[in-house]
Amino acid sequence: MQPAYYNLGVVYSEMMQYDMALTFYEKAAAERPVYAEAYCNMGVIFKNRGDLDSAISCYDRYSIYIYIYSVMCSFLSQEPVIILI
């Protein structure tokens, strides 16, 4: 289930209201700190603005959470999962 804050971030992104989108992505991440998609979308906004340090920080968090999720899925399913980093 996706938090409402994340969905609002997507809506504001589609409307090109990026300040509002960032606000809601940040709220989604605060609500669920390992919400990888919120960090990925924040990274896109920062990259497009030319704020590469913030973009890299968001992408780093995104990749860490995706890695953790992949490991957890692999452990729970007992099936090998290919993890690309």
Side-chain angles (χ1 to χ4, degrees), residues 32-40 55-73 83-85:
R32 196 170 100 195
V34 294
Y35 200 11
E37 293 88 348
Y39 291 105
C40 182
I56 289 169
S57 176
C58 288
Y59 290 142
D60 283 345
R61 289 186 83 169
Y62 169 76
S63 64
I64 289 167
Y65 296 143
I66 291 297
Y67 174 79
I68 291 168
Y69 178 76
S70 298
V71 169
M72 288 173 38
C73 288
I83 301 170
L84 304 174
I85 297 181

Side-chain angles (χ1 to χ4, degrees), residues 5-21:
Y5 290 133
Y6 175 79
N7 291 333
L8 285 169
V10 170
V11 169
Y12 280 110
S13 289
E14 290 177 358
M15 294 176 7
M16 292 187 266
Q17 295 184 20
Y18 300 116
D19 289 332
M20 290 298 293

